Amino acid sequence: MKKRIARLGLALLLAAPLGACALANAGSGPAPRLFTLTTPQSAVADGRTAVQLQISEFAAPAAIDTTRIVFQENANEIKYYAEARWSDTAPNMIQTLLSQTLENSGRFASVFSHGADLNSDYMLMGDIRQFAAVAGTDDKGGGTSVHVDLFMRLVRINDRTVTAARDFSVVVPVTGSGIASVVAAYDAGLHKVLGDISLWTIQQTTKSASPSS
């Protein structure tokens, strides 16, 4: 019995330094580089309307619903850039940037995120179909290009009717090397798509808007 207690005590003494060492090293690695994307310059619409617009949370596959920056070597495998992260999850970041883009257009009485518990005339709902840097997809078939593909629906709130739906996509070649060049291509691609969505939303709400009472 005494021998067993002695062996247990020795094991605990040996384990203690190892545990302390593991805790000390847990946060000692380099922090990942954080990147964010920017709001495109908005096309300013002629005349402000009473339309109130809310932007729903974007739906996305689990592989995209993350702060990791997606890289695909082929159609069947998803990887992530090492030691680099978005400042927020991709769906949250895109929702915020779209809200800012539409608000900056000056077209709408108000633009706000879904869940703000405010009355609205329309809701924009979006699916992120692709948001990735893809290998072998530049003009020469050898480099990397960023693919941005968002499918949007405009829903009229009073009768829950989808009044318009459209896919918005773009492919932007990565020029240069390093993660900063990849992020620049993501930024250019999202600028193009968000600008097109903004113009489309203005056109659709002008065509079929039901002003707030």
Side-chain angles (χ1 to χ4, degrees), residues 6-7 18 28 40 51 53 79 86 101 114 120 128 138-139 142 144 154 160 174 177 185 202 211:
R7 284 197 297 268
L18 294 174
S28 60
V51 172
L53 180 68
K79 296 183 178 181
W86 297 125
T101 304
H114 179 56
S120 61
I128 304 176
D138 68 357
D139 293 338
T144 297
L154 183 65
R160 307 299 293 180
V174 176
S177 59
I202 290 170

Side-chain angles (χ1 to χ4, degrees), residues 30-36 67-69 81-87 177-181 183:
R33 296 175 66 186
L34 293 181
F35 293 92
T36 189
T67 60
R68 305 292 297 272
I69 302 175
Y81 286 96
E83 299 178 359
R85 301 286 190 278
W86 297 125
S87 60
S177 59
I179 187 62
S181 296
V183 170

